[in-house]
């Protein structure tokens, strides 16, 4: 098996603000694994919040690829996952890139799209939200209006600022028919969040994601008990083993490949959350189609979808899955994840 590891600093169309930071680029690491003439593609945009960086991922990936090479069989996914876990237990982002590349490679060797290998129903995909990052109320209104005009019926609005209400009101006015979900990215205390739920509910907000700090499970529980708005745990729920801790403190769990280490761990997180009676969400970072496309194949499992990350990039070395309005068209994928090299990208650099 041959492999390549490449790093990209992908520019975003607009600076992307959340409560704790604003980013202008997406630091992306791509792995390509080639086995008997077939290539699988995987990528990750690691998050400093979870303790990883493009540099740490790029440093670890060669030894993870050597592990896959030594096993020598892209279908040996249980064994590959176990050995990658043993080798890089604290580096889920690095494992995610390899997980996607191995799954893409295995599905390509079988000449199947990934969702068909898993037997999932492409018609069960929920529409994706489009994320409006933190900016001035005027700019957030513009972005919301543009997103609604281009077919997104559900907007995820980032809050956690000194004037959240002005921002949400501006978005509401700019996109009066859109369903609004709010993500505070751990910015509020439980008391602040409970206060805000009154006007969030008045504005018709249909979901509140991570209102309080990641380890404030009691606060999360109090917010959930105080409002009719369904509350999602994101930063508070990283892997399947976190689910029992948050199960009676929220309504929804947001699974992300980058947090838990790839497609198999994300599937396990979703099944665990479902078994605890929670609703399921699949989310992402601002990241390349080379990672988003893989996550879309899990989308038939979930109730809420937030996989707009690649839409926020100015340019991407990979193309991914087409959207029909705000619904990803899995049936358009003929093999693997559907991510392919973007010929226009080479010309633009
Ligand atoms: Mg979130």
């Amino acid at each position: 098996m041959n492999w390549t590891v490449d790093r990209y600093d992908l520019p975003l169309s607009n600076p992307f603000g959340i409560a704790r930071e604003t980013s202008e680029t997406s630091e992306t690491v791509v792995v390509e694994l080639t086995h008997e003439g077939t290539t699988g593609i995987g990528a990750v945009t690691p998050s400093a919040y979870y303790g990883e960086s493009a540099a740490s991922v790029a440093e670890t990936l060669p030894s993870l690829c050597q592990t896959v090479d030594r096993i020598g069989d892209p279908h040996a996914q249980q064994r590959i996952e176990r050995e990658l876990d043993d080798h890089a237990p604290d580096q889920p982002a690095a494992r995610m890139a390899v997980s996607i590349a191995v799954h893409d490679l295995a599905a390509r060797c079988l000449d199947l799209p990934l969702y068909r290998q898993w037997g999932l129903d492409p018609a069960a995909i929920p529409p994706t939200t489009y994320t409006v990052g933190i900016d001035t109320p005027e700019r957030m209104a513009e972005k919301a209006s543009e997103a609604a005009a281009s077919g997104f019926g559900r907007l995820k609005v980032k809050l956690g600022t000194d004037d959240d209400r002005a921002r949400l009101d501006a978005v509401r006015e700019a996109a009066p028919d859109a369903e609004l979900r709010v993500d505070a990215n751990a910015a509020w205390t439980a008391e602040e969040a409970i206060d805000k739920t009154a006007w969030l509910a008045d504005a018709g907000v249909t979901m509140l994601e991570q209102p309080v700090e990641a380890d404030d499970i009691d606060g999360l529980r109090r917010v959930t008990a105080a409002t009719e708005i369904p509350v999602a745990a994101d930063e508070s729920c990283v892997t399947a083993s976190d689910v029992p801790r948050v199960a009676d403190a929220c309504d929804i769990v947001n699974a992300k490949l980058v947090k838990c280490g790839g497609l198999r761990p994300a599937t396990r997180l979703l099944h665990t959350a479902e078994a605890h009676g929670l609703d399921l969400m699949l989310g992402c970072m601002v990241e390349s189609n080379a990672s988003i496309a893989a996550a879309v194949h899990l989308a038939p499992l979930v109730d809420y979808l937030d996989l707009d990350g690649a839409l926020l990039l100015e340019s991407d070395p990979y193309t991914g899955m087409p959207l029909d309005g705000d619904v990803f068209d899995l049936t358009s994928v003929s093999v693997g994840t559907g991510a392919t090299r973007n010929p226009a990208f080479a010309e633009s650099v």
Side-chain angles (χ1 to χ4, degrees):
M1 212 173 288
N2 297 317
W3 70 87
T4 58
V5 174
D6 290 296
R7 277 177 68 173
Y8 300 91
D9 228 359
L10 302 176
L12 274 50
S13 304
N14 294 290
F16 183 72
I18 69 169
R20 60 179 163 261
E21 65 198 357
T22 298
S23 40
E24 298 190 358
T25 60
S26 167
E27 288 190 21
T28 300
V29 189
V30 179
V31 185
E32 292 195 358
L33 291 168
T34 301
H35 175 66
E36 296 174 353
T38 300
T39 298
I41 297 164
V44 66
T45 295
S47 165
Y49 179 82
Y50 294 109
E52 291 181 84
S53 65
S56 69
V57 167
E59 193 180 320
T60 301
L61 280 175
S63 59
L64 299 187
C65 291
Q66 281 165 11
T67 300
V68 176
D69 177 39
R70 179 169 42 74
I71 294 169
D73 174 4
H75 304 292
Q77 289 170 7
Q78 182 180 21
R79 183 174 164 204
I80 290 171
E81 187 197 352
R82 188 175 62 234
E83 295 204 18
L84 297 186
D85 274 353
D86 287 348
H87 193 84
D90 302 323
Q91 293 177 275
R95 287 185 274 121
M96 164 186 166
V98 178
S99 165
I100 293 175
V102 168
H103 279 81
D104 186 38
L105 176 58
R108 285 176 186 277
C109 290
L110 294 171
D111 201 24
L112 281 175
L114 200 47
Y115 77 92
R116 281 187 54 77
Q117 195 188 338
W118 291 334
L120 298 180
D121 176 6
I125 288 199
T128 184
T129 42
Y130 184 91
T131 305
V132 177
I134 290 174
D135 207 321
T136 62
E138 296 73 28
R139 277 295 291 146
M140 290 177 75
E142 271 177 55
K143 289 180 196 168
S145 162
E146 285 167 14
S150 53
F152 292 95
R154 292 154 189 81
L155 302 179
K156 173 159 143 174
V157 184
K158 294 288 193 178
L159 292 181
T161 70
D162 55 0
D163 196 349
D164 287 327
R165 190 161 186 175
R167 288 177 167 82
L168 188 73
D169 287 347
V171 168
R172 176 80 289 169
E173 199 181 316
D177 300 324
E179 182 186 328
L180 300 185
R181 301 173 184 170
V182 162
D183 187 357
N185 285 107
W188 301 331
T189 65
E191 286 64 36
E192 285 169 339
I194 289 166
D195 279 351
K196 289 171 198 274
T197 55
W199 56 261
L200 292 171
D202 284 347
V205 168
T206 57
M207 186 221 274
L208 174 57
E209 188 176 332
Q210 197 66 43
V212 299
E213 281 183 26
D215 58 2
D216 185 9
I217 306 304
D218 183 57
L220 187 67
R221 182 180 297 109
R222 282 186 284 134
V223 178
T224 301
T227 179
E228 294 293 307
I229 302 172
V231 174
D234 179 1
E235 285 89 336
S236 292
C237 188
V238 175
T239 72
S241 61
D242 296 318
V243 171
R245 196 169 64 106
V246 301
D248 74 343
C250 64
D251 305 294
I252 303 160
V253 155
N254 184 2
K256 289 179 182 165
L257 275 58
V258 72
K259 294 191 293 188
C260 61
L263 291 159
R264 290 171 59 90
T267 307
R268 217 154 38 236
L269 170 54
L270 292 170
H271 289 325
T272 306
E274 184 180 38
H276 281 78
L278 295 163
D279 283 338
L280 310 180
M281 173 174 176
L282 194 57
C284 64
M285 313 304 282
V286 179
E287 56 191 327
S288 166
N289 279 304
S291 47
I292 298 282
V296 176
H297 289 259
L298 287 177
L301 294 175
V302 305
D303 309 288
Y304 298 88
L305 196 62
D306 179 33
L307 290 181
D308 64 333
L311 304 173
L312 307 178
L313 297 174
E314 178 69 34
S315 62
D316 187 341
Y318 294 87
T319 58
M321 197 165 310
L323 274 164
D324 179 9
D326 56 4
V327 180
F328 286 103
D329 182 11
L330 264 185
T331 61
S332 69
V333 178
S334 57
V335 67
T337 67
T340 54
R341 283 194 196 170
N342 175 10
F345 182 81
E347 291 162 19
S348 71
V349 291

